[in-house]
Amino acid sequence: MYLGFTLTLAGAALLLNTVSALIGPLVFFAVANLWYIPREERIADKLFGEPYRAYRARVRRWL
């Protein structure tokens, strides 16, 4: 979901054809990577425990 939204924002920035439009995707990527995803990973780890940790070992964060 986060990857799709980041790519959508990047595509919109390319259509606008301005350097300042690239700020949106970069900010979203940073916030998702530093805030939302770690928070969701902590919650999933508490809920699912070892099976989730095994899943995280097999699958990259941003695919």
Side-chain angles (χ1 to χ4, degrees), residues 1-16 21-22 24-25 28:
M1 180 174 76
Y2 295 117
L3 178 59
F5 193 61
T6 301
L7 292 174
T8 300
L9 288 173
L14 290 173
L15 285 174
L16 291 173
L22 291 174
F28 177 77

Side-chain angles (χ1 to χ4, degrees), residues 24-47:
L26 293 174
V27 168
F28 177 77
F29 175 82
V31 171
N33 205 39
L34 298 172
W35 175 260
Y36 290 112
I37 294 172
R39 180 179 172 271
E40 291 175 355
E41 287 175 342
R42 283 191 304 274
I43 292 169
D45 189 63
K46 288 179 186 174
L47 285 173

